[in-house]
Structure formats: structure tokens, C-alpha cells
Amino acid sequence: MTSERKVTVIPPKPKHMYRVAIYCRVSSRSQEQLASLSTQASHLARLAAAKPGWRIVDVYLDVKPGSYATDRSEFQRLIADCRAGQIDIIITKSISRFGRNTVETLSAINEMRAKGVEIVFELEEISTNDSASQMYISIIEGVAQEENLIRSENIRLGIKHKVENGTACIFNRRCYGYTNDESGGLCINDIEADVVRSIFDMYLEGRSIIGIKRELERQGIISPTGNSIWCKRSIENILVNEKYTGDALVFKTYCEGFPQTKRKSNKDMKHDQFISISNNPVIVSKDIFEAAQEEKRQRSNIIASETGTQRKPTRYCSRNIKLQNSLLCETTTGK
């Protein structure tokens, strides 16, 4: 009697090795999301390693919302490598992980197909090499974008509701001059607060933004971004931030539509704004703050009228202010 034979399949050696890229994405840096990112990458790496003829050449990890491809640096690097002919196959968890903007995602898929790069969506079990998959991908992508729109709108309404009842953390968002205490409230950073007061004083003394920038750099004061070089915009933002008076105004900017556009100023009050009075400790008195705003209006070279806006024939110059002060001093002293 012969013993039972054990037969093992020996697969043929692949004639061609495919260069495989793994793409994973999550929307935020929360602990849960980062754990999901690690799980995605490990799972897809195991799947790719089990495929005969597949060789993983790189892993691309994005921690960004999928609304805009241009905001995802790793996605852009992936596309660039595909254009350079370095990748044959992309494997990703799902169509929604690849992107949530229908137009951009389908455009990227079509470009990859034209370059002969196959995209495998593991969850949906479809490949872009399948001619019947294009319509299916379009439907799934459209549904994913609509779900993202609803989720985004719900988040907006939730934030607005918390703002209205005064429980939103957005009122205590830290800015230069403040830090957050253990409970999340704002408290004064004494060193930065002195710089803020100095900026207001120099501005009201007649110094220009460039002049203030040079003086801060001369003194070796570090900017809000931690650099030795100050940005003009940082100084301008400090001079118009009402939070230094103790009040916190929110919804100064807004985004419209979906996917969201770049943020726009809400100066024209197209949307509601909310202010929390005596929200945090005071760094600059309201009198000084209002004086700075009036100074800003005086220096502006834009004149508003019923017929529109026009520019003044001359611009503000701190040298002229110094000359005027010098002449005034000579007149009062009788020199």
C-alpha cells in the first residue's frame, strides 16, 4: 500500500518584475488616524509581497484631507515618480483614500492609465486595467465626495453652535504673546507680550512696518515662527489682532463651496462673526489698539469714496514723520 503523496504547486517564475508603489492617506494626525495609517501600509505591503512578480519600490504616506491633490505632498511625489517611469503599479486601500475630489481623482487616474500605470483599489477589488471599472470608479468617487461634503457641513454647524454658546475652543486659539494653560485657556507669555507692546509703541511713534521689522531683527528678537528674520505680515497681523485687548473675534475669514476654496476675508460681513468680550488677559489697552487702527487708516494710500476707491498721490514715509517731529521740537524749544 502506497503512502499518500503530498503535492505542492510550484508557480512559474514571473517573466517581468513589476515596480509597485503603496499609497496610504489619513485626514488628521490624531492617534487613531495615525494608527490607521500604519495598518493600511502594513496590510498593503503584505498583499504586494504575496503577488508573484511584484516588487515594492516605495511607500507614500499622506496625513492630509483628500479634497485637493495639490495639498498632498506625498501624492504629488507619487505622481511625479509615475511620470518619470519609475512605477508600474499603484496599490491603495480604496478610491476614497486615493482622493475625495471627483474631478482631480479621475484626472489622475486617466493620466496614470495613459502612462501605462495600473492602480489597484484593494477594498473595491477593482483595477484601472479593467475597462469596465471606469464608470464604477466615477460612481464611487461621486458618492465619496458627497459624503465628505455632508461631513464637512456637519462639522461647520457643530463649530458654529459651540461658538454661539461660548464653549468653542477656537476662542482660546493661541497667538503670539499668549500660551495655553493646562485647562486650555489663554495666559500671557511675558517675554512675547513685551515684544507686542513694543511693536504698538514703535508704530504709534511713527515707525513703518519695515522700520519695526529692522529694529526687531537688530535686537535679535525671534519671530512668531521661530526665525531670526521677521515677516512684514506677522507685524501687520499683530497690529490688527483685537485679542491683545482681551476680546476674541472669530470667523474673520471663511471658505466657500466644496471642495473648499482658499480662505477669504470676512470684512464685508458676508457671514456672521462672533466676539467673546473679556475672553483673555489684556496685553494692550483698547485706547492704544484703537489709536493704532486710526494710524493705520491715516497711513493707508487708499481713499474710499462714493465713486469707488483711488490711491493717494503720496505714500506714508517714516522719514517725513521724523522730519516733522524734529521741526516741531525746534519750534517748541525756540532753536
Side-chain angles (χ1 to χ4, degrees):
M1 185 175 178
T2 58
S3 60
E4 187 177 345
R5 294 184 177 89
K6 185 178 180 181
V7 179
T8 303
V9 177
I10 303 176
K13 291 184 179 180
K15 296 180 180 179
H16 180 73
M17 292 297 291
Y18 293 97
R19 298 163 298 177
V20 180
I22 294 172
Y23 178 73
C24 306
R25 181 187 66 80
V26 292
S27 299
S28 71
R29 291 188 175 275
S30 68
Q31 187 174 354
E32 188 177 285
Q33 289 267 288
L34 292 177
S36 172
L37 186 67
S38 176
T39 302
Q40 282 183 52
S42 299
H43 174 64
L44 294 176
R46 286 195 297 271
L47 286 180
K51 291 279 189 180
W54 282 27
R55 177 172 60 88
I56 300 173
V57 294
D58 211 339
V59 178
Y60 303 79
L61 307 176
D62 265 322
V63 185
K64 283 285 187 179
S67 302
Y68 286 105
T70 51
D71 293 336
R72 294 181 278 151
S73 59
E74 283 291 272
F75 184 83
Q76 293 301 317
R77 186 169 72 88
L78 169 66
I79 298 300
D81 288 348
C82 290
R83 288 169 178 163
Q86 299 173 8
I87 294 169
D88 302 311
I89 299 173
I90 301 170
I91 181 169
T92 187
K93 179 183 176 183
S94 64
I95 296 172
S96 63
R97 293 299 91 195
F98 198 68
R100 289 188 179 275
N101 183 317
T102 303
V103 175
E104 285 190 350
T105 301
L106 292 179
S107 175
I109 289 173
N110 289 333
E111 182 183 353
M112 294 304 98
R113 288 182 67 179
K115 291 189 174 298
V117 179
E118 178 185 4
I119 307 175
V120 177
F121 301 102
E122 189 259 335
L123 185 64
E124 291 88 0
E125 296 183 348
I126 58 176
S127 164
T128 54
N129 276 5
D130 180 3
S131 58
S133 66
Q134 188 71 3
M135 182 176 292
Y136 185 42
I137 291 172
S138 301
I139 293 171
I140 294 175
E141 184 63 25
V143 172
Q145 180 167 322
E146 185 63 26
E147 288 177 348
N148 210 33
L149 169 60
I150 295 170
R151 188 183 301 111
S152 177
E153 193 60 33
N154 288 339
I155 291 172
R156 286 184 189 181
L157 291 174
I159 293 174
K160 186 176 181 181
H161 177 69
K162 288 183 178 180
V163 166
E164 288 173 342
N165 60 33
T167 60
C169 296
I170 192 173
F171 285 116
N172 292 328
R173 183 175 290 170
R174 188 178 67 84
C175 64
Y176 187 77
Y178 293 99
T179 187
N180 291 110
D181 57 26
E182 293 180 357
S183 63
L186 287 172
C187 57
I188 292 177
N189 179 315
D190 292 329
I191 296 176
E192 293 181 355
D194 285 342
V195 177
V196 170
R197 296 187 190 101
S198 176
I199 288 172
F200 274 88
D201 289 343
M202 285 190 284
Y203 190 71
L204 291 175
E205 287 170 2
R207 293 208 191 190
S208 65
I209 300 297
I210 292 293
I212 296 173
K213 167 181 157 61
R214 289 171 179 165
E215 179 60 23
L216 294 172
E217 292 170 358
R218 187 190 68 80
Q219 295 182 26
I221 296 172
I222 301 301
S223 75
T225 56
N227 297 318
S228 58
I229 303 299
W230 277 71
C231 174
K232 286 174 55 181
R233 188 65 178 169
S234 296
I235 299 171
E236 291 168 350
N237 287 341
I238 287 173
L239 288 169
V240 298
N241 192 346
E242 76 296 322
K243 189 169 280 186
Y244 296 121
T245 69
D247 301 337
L249 181 68
V250 298
F251 299 157
K252 298 178 186 178
T253 59
Y254 66 93
C255 293
E256 281 186 331
F258 185 85
Q260 294 181 351
T261 58
K262 290 185 178 180
R263 302 197 72 82
K264 300 178 181 179
S265 172
N266 195 20
K267 287 182 179 179
D268 58 356
M269 295 294 290
K270 189 172 182 178
H271 299 274
D272 292 338
Q273 292 183 336
F274 299 85
I275 188 165
S276 175
I277 306 297
S278 300
N279 180 79
N280 46 267
V282 175
I283 292 179
V284 175
S285 72
K286 290 190 176 181
D287 287 342
I288 290 177
F289 182 80
E290 287 303 323
Q293 307 319 299
E294 179 59 30
E295 180 71 14
K296 184 174 181 293
R297 285 189 286 270
Q298 293 292 331
R299 294 188 189 188
S300 174
N301 67 330
I302 301 295
I303 304 173
S305 63
E306 295 180 357
T307 58
T309 59
Q310 60 183 13
R311 292 188 180 275
K312 294 179 182 177
T314 58
R315 288 187 175 185
Y316 173 82
C317 180
S318 57
R319 292 178 182 176
N320 295 338
I321 298 298
K322 290 180 182 178
L323 180 60
Q324 291 173 14
N325 291 339
S326 177
L327 292 173
L328 179 62
C329 181
E330 290 178 2
T331 303
T332 55
T333 56
K335 292 182 179 180

